[in-house]
């Protein structure tokens, strides 16, 4: 894999915000959905995600900059050839020359060549590996041979990120969807009822396989909810503008109001002003400890076209009932 800074097109001194902006810009440009005729689109997008996985994470970025991990997030392990020099007796830990084995890193993990005998006062190499990798040799104790350890199998595979666009009804009631990942693999995932825009769904073990046969990475699906033609989402609450006629506002009426679970009847009191808000409890999105509410705002809508009778009525009402609703504005 190429240098992650090169993939993202940023310098090594770039801020985390600049890195995030570069990733978002390239993700939009390279997404397979936008490049369906490019057979390499999934590969390019996967490379971009891999680069952001390294430098987009502050801890991993520092490790990469220090040379502790490579561009794929794998530990850089150069081996310990002979351990010559350092202390009297030839070995860096007070042992004799040749007392230590050579350990090399490869696709199958760490492998041993040669043999070792514990020296008086010498450090146990198994303890070193235990400190470095959280592992121990097959048979501990002075004078024991170090068994080959597949340290590569302890490495976890890389996570894969994706975005799924769902409807508001799916967000409210849940469901099941299939999505094609940037790596070309299709997965099925469940949409939990009440999920909010921008939340992530994690599919454990369905990401990239481990290079050493260890556990696979996860799939992280960010949910994007398509705007609804009627409802606006406000957390777990929903908001709706409800058109009413002038005579319904003046005289009062019972009107039908749409909800995600079907229409309900709402009583509009007489003399209701435009902009008055009514709350329909529990008619929002599912949530804990309770579902959200639906807030309905009345909007008085006059009929299209010229209505001479309405105009005459309003003139008469204006002359007989003067009223200034803006008197408090100064």
């Amino acid at each position: 894999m190429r240098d992650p800074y090169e993939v993202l097109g940023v310098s090594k001194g770039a801020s985390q915000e600049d890195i995030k902006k570069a990733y978002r810009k390239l993700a939009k440009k390279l997404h397979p959905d936008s490049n369906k005729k490019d057979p390499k689109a999934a590969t390019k997008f996967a490379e971009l995600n891999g680069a952001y996985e390294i430098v987009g994470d502050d801890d991993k970025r520092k490790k990469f900059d220090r040379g502790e991990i490579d561009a794929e997030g794998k530990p850089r392990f150069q081996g310990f050839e002979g351990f010559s020099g350092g202390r009297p007796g030839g070995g860096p830990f007070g042992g004799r020359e040749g007392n230590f084995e050579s350990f090399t890193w490869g696709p199958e993990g760490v492998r041993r060549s040669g043999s070792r005998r514990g020296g008086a006062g010498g450090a146990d190499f198994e303890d070193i590996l235990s400190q470095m990798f959280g592992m121990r040799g097959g048979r501990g104790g002075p004078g024991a041979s170090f068994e080959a350890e597949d340290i590569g199998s302890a490495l976890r595979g890389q996570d894969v990120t994706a975005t799924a666009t769902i409807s508001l009804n799916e967000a409210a009631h849940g469901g099941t969807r299939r999505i094609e990942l940037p790596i070309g693999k299709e997965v099925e995932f469940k949409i939990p009822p009440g999920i909010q825009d921008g939340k992530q769904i994690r599919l454990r073990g369905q990401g990239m396989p481990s290079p050493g046969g260890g556990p696979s990475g996860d799939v992280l699906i960010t949910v994007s909810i398509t705007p609804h033609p009627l409802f606006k989402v406000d957390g777990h609450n929903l908001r709706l503008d409800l058109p009413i006629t002038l005579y319904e506002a003046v005289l009062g009426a019972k009107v039908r109001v749409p909800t995600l679970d079907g229409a309900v009847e709402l009583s509009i009191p007489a003399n209701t002003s435009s902009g008055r808000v009514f709350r329909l409890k529990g008619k929002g999105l599912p949530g804990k400890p309770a579902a959200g509410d639906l807030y309905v705002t009345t909007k008085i809508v006059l009929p299209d076209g010229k209505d001479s009778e309405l105009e005459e009525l309003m003139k008469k009402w204006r002359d007989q009932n003067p009223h200034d609703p803006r008197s408090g504005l100064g």
Side-chain angles (χ1 to χ4, degrees):
M1 180 175 170
R2 290 187 294 154
D3 184 290
Y5 291 104
E6 180 184 341
V7 174
L8 288 162
V10 297
S11 67
K12 288 192 175 182
S15 66
Q16 290 298 119
E17 186 62 30
D18 288 340
I19 290 173
K20 184 182 293 185
K21 288 180 180 178
Y23 170 73
R24 287 177 176 172
K25 181 179 179 181
L26 288 172
K28 186 176 181 180
K29 177 182 177 182
L30 300 177
H31 197 283
D33 288 348
S34 304
N35 300 273
K36 294 182 178 180
K37 295 183 179 180
D38 185 358
K40 297 182 179 180
T43 302
K44 294 177 182 177
F45 194 70
E47 183 183 46
L48 176 66
N49 283 330
Y52 187 65
E53 181 76 18
I54 299 297
V55 298
D57 182 283
D58 190 54
D59 185 51
K60 290 182 181 179
R61 181 183 182 183
K62 290 177 181 177
K63 289 182 179 180
F64 176 78
D65 291 343
R66 291 196 298 262
E68 296 175 9
I69 59 175
D70 62 15
E72 295 182 359
K74 301 176 184 177
R76 295 184 185 274
F77 191 88
Q78 304 299 328
F80 300 86
E81 300 296 332
F83 283 88
S84 59
R87 291 191 185 181
F93 305 109
R96 292 177 297 171
E97 191 76 46
N99 279 355
F100 289 91
E101 303 154 302
S102 295
F103 291 83
T104 56
W105 175 269
E108 298 181 352
V110 169
R111 295 292 173 185
R112 171 180 63 85
S113 61
S115 61
R116 175 185 60 78
R117 296 182 300 273
D124 192 333
F125 194 79
E126 297 166 21
D127 291 337
I128 298 173
L129 286 180
S130 176
Q131 293 173 10
M132 292 175 63
F133 300 103
M135 304 179 68
R136 298 197 312 180
R139 302 191 188 111
S145 296
F146 185 87
E147 302 294 333
E149 290 284 355
D150 187 4
I151 293 176
S153 66
L155 296 178
R156 183 173 171 274
Q158 199 172 61
D159 291 340
V160 177
T161 59
T163 301
T165 302
I166 65 174
S167 68
L168 183 59
N169 278 306
E170 286 178 306
H173 302 115
T176 302
R177 291 281 295 273
R178 291 189 68 83
I179 185 174
E180 184 175 353
L181 301 176
I183 56 176
K185 173 184 175 183
E186 276 197 3
V187 295
E188 185 173 88
F189 67 97
K190 291 184 178 180
I191 303 169
I195 191 169
Q196 293 181 284
D197 188 73
K199 294 295 184 180
Q200 282 190 332
I201 297 173
R202 181 183 293 270
L203 305 180
R204 298 192 180 277
Q206 297 199 45
M208 296 290 285
S210 166
S216 296
D218 300 336
V219 171
L220 303 175
I221 302 174
T222 302
V223 172
S224 175
I225 301 176
T226 303
H228 195 276
L230 298 179
F231 304 106
K232 292 182 180 179
V233 180
D234 181 10
H236 283 101
N237 298 322
L238 297 176
R239 296 189 179 275
L240 169 72
D241 288 341
L242 179 68
I244 61 173
T245 64
L246 179 60
Y247 56 81
E248 286 173 333
V250 174
L251 303 175
K254 289 186 177 181
V255 298
R256 291 180 67 78
V257 177
T259 75
L260 291 176
D261 298 316
V264 297
E265 197 171 70
L266 174 67
S267 293
I268 304 293
N271 297 320
T272 291
S273 298
S274 187
R276 182 170 178 178
V277 179
F278 296 87
R279 173 190 175 202
L280 301 182
K281 189 174 181 180
K283 292 300 182 180
L285 295 173
K288 293 181 180 180
D293 302 324
L294 172 61
Y295 290 89
V296 179
T297 302
T298 57
K299 300 290 183 183
I300 297 175
V301 178
L302 298 178
D304 293 333
K306 186 177 178 66
D307 188 325
S308 57
E309 290 186 11
L310 179 61
E311 289 182 0
E312 288 300 320
L313 177 63
M314 289 297 100
K315 288 177 182 178
K316 182 178 179 181
W317 186 88
R318 179 191 61 190
D319 295 339
Q320 295 180 356
N321 301 278
H323 171 62
D324 184 6
R326 297 173 295 279
S327 58
L329 298 180

